[in-house]
Amino acid sequence: MSERQPAAELIHHAYQPPAGFASPAVAVHKGSSIFFENVAALKRVRWADRDAYTYGLHGTPSTFALEARLATLEGAEHVLLAPSGLAALNLVNHSLLKSGDQLLIPDNVYGPSRNSARHELAAWGIAHAVYDPLDPADLAAKLTPATRLVWLEAPGSITLEFPDLLGLIAAVRAGAPQALVALDNTWGAGLAFDAFALGVDLTIHALTKYPSGGGDVLMGSVATRDRALFERLAATHGRSGLGVGGNDVELVLRGLASLPLRYAAQDAAARQVAAWAQQHPAVAQVLHPALPGSPGHVHWKQLCRAAAGLLTLRFQPGTPGARIEAAVDALRVFRLAWSWGGPVSLAVPYDLTHLRSVNRSEETVLRLAIGLEEPEVLIADLAQAFEGL
Ligand SMILES: *Cc1c(COP(=O)(O)O)cnc(C)c1O
């Protein structure tokens, strides 16, 4: 993989401050109304072009600055912001699918994505099929002439299987040349691997996670290199009212400068916690793509230079779910909460019974999202909480 300097690129990103005020911080610009000099000027600009300011919903200097920085981070050309990662995901589906089309999602897809396929998309006449993320042949078998969009996620949510991305993309190109390939790249954050170099058409991110880094912002993004695809996405974006607030944009811009450092620290700490968990007698397996033996490890090793801060624990067969839940309640440093990427380490038990349809399982697993505390503190917390296991 090519050498990149994402921290320097993000910190020294082109920005023109007001004359005589050379501060590193990008100003917070807000506005719903944006004044025009005269009627001719008002008639000249079209919001869909996104090259001038028309109305706050369609861009401000702050949102354009964040979009440009996110494009740099991922090696994309065009970026759109949405009020959450889930909104970004739905923007892609709503822009690219119509009645009669088919959509493919991996079995370990971010859960709410599967729910929107089951509910809104199904109600609008858009069918979906679920494929085994570890089997490109299964994906190939589920493609039809109606397939218009295939989602990838690397690794998948909760169980963290790292798919053969190149194999999955090749299967789509061979079996459904009419389909677009979208990657939910929240875990990779533009740092772990180069999504566009692999050949995806677009990515989405929950900026809520690592880019914000504070556990205090909800935001999402969609990125692509393809101008025509961007125009389709931007048209639906502009008609959907997906605005983001200037103060939230400021928080994400501020977070981006420390993103590579935080990501590396959380990656290193997660591997330390994983190594400890691997030798704990109550733990049957640690799911973490950088560990040999974790599903898809070979693909992670082939494509990635980093591994984020997530790990999931499988317990010894027969461990009652209630025992695992009691251990979670005994945690003092880890907090029980959704999401990840902020300073506080989080733990959530997941009963897989209703979360998978291809690779069914009835076990309860524990997903850990490592924050910014010292790893020794986290390990001591897990050690005391796991005494009852
Ligand atoms: C959190 C998450 C999302 C959704 O992001 P929100 O901003 O919480 O809506 C989407 N995909 C993945 C993989 C996520 O982890």
Side-chain angles (χ1 to χ4, degrees), residues 16-388:
Q16 190 57 56
F21 187 76
S23 153
V26 176
V28 181
H29 292 279
K30 299 183 189 180
S32 48
S33 294
I34 296 158
F35 303 144
F36 296 96
E37 279 302 312
N38 49 43
V39 176
L42 180 142
K43 285 176 154 175
R44 200 160 45 235
V45 292
R46 290 178 56 249
W47 64 259
D49 293 343
R50 297 176 60 85
D51 59 356
Y53 304 109
T54 53
Y55 184 57
L57 196 53
H58 306 304
T60 67
S62 300
T63 62
F64 285 177
L66 178 55
E67 288 167 1
R69 249 166 239 205
L70 293 170
T72 299
L73 173 62
E74 230 183 353
E77 293 289 329
H78 313 284
V79 172
L80 292 160
L81 301 176
S84 67
L86 185 54
L89 223 148
N90 279 313
L91 167 65
V92 172
N93 289 339
H94 300 175
S95 302
L96 304 179
L97 297 168
K98 62 181 186 319
S99 177
D101 290 346
Q102 190 226 29
L103 160 79
L104 284 189
I105 52 176
D107 196 30
N108 53 9
V109 74
Y110 175 67
S113 178
R114 186 192 287 248
N115 289 335
S116 83
R118 276 187 186 147
H119 294 273
E120 283 74 20
L121 299 185
W124 300 335
I126 298 158
H128 73 277
V130 181
Y131 68 89
D132 180 346
L134 291 177
D135 185 3
D138 185 58
L139 183 153
K142 285 168 178 163
L143 295 166
T144 74
T147 309
R148 284 289 181 283
L149 182 62
V150 176
W151 277 100
L152 310 174
E153 200 171 314
S157 284
I158 306 164
T159 39
L160 301 176
E161 301 91 343
F162 203 96
D164 173 6
L165 286 173
L166 291 169
L168 294 174
I169 295 167
V172 178
R173 300 305 182 213
Q178 76 284 358
L180 291 165
V181 175
L183 171 74
D184 184 332
N185 201 14
T186 299
W187 179 93
L191 296 170
F193 60 95
D194 297 327
F196 287 100
L198 303 180
V200 303
D201 295 302
L202 64 95
T203 66
I204 72 109
H205 287 260
L207 303 176
T208 307
K209 309 280 173 49
Y210 291 116
S212 135
D216 53 359
V217 183
L218 286 155
M219 201 179 294
S221 61
V222 180
T224 182
R225 286 181 170 174
D226 181 325
R227 180 75 205 180
L229 174 57
F230 171 71
E231 285 174 6
R232 289 174 71 188
L233 294 160
T236 301
H237 182 272
R239 291 189 291 260
S240 302
L242 301 177
V244 298
N247 292 103
D248 287 348
V249 169
E250 177 195 26
L251 290 174
V252 179
L253 279 167
R254 188 180 168 126
L256 283 184
S258 59
L259 167 67
L261 276 179
R262 287 184 283 104
Y263 194 86
Q266 286 167 311
D267 177 352
R271 293 190 209 214
Q272 241 177 290
V273 174
W276 172 84
Q278 273 188 310
Q279 49 71 52
H280 194 282
V283 175
Q285 189 183 15
V286 179
L287 302 173
H288 180 296
L291 292 179
S294 200
H297 168 70
V298 288
H299 307 304
W300 174 85
K301 202 170 165 187
Q302 180 196 4
L303 300 179
C304 293
R305 55 175 96 76
L310 300 180
L311 63 149
T312 295
L313 308 184
R314 300 182 63 206
F315 295 94
Q316 297 299 351
T319 308
R323 213 33 102 70
I324 297 165
E325 291 176 11
V328 173
D329 285 338
L331 290 165
R332 295 174 194 141
V333 179
F334 279 88
R335 302 302 302 263
L336 177 60
W338 309 115
S339 202
W340 35 271
V344 180
S345 291
L346 305 175
V348 179
Y350 287 90
D351 176 354
L352 296 178
T353 308
H354 302 291
L355 295 178
R356 299 287 180 264
S357 55
V358 177
N359 294 312
R360 288 179 186 280
S361 164
E362 295 197 341
E363 72 182 290
T364 294
V365 297
L366 180 61
R367 205 270 310 276
L368 301 176
I370 303 303
L372 294 170
E373 305 94 337
E374 289 80 2
E376 308 76 54
V377 173
L378 300 177
I379 288 169
D381 190 34
L382 292 167
Q384 63 79 23
F386 284 8
E387 266 162 31

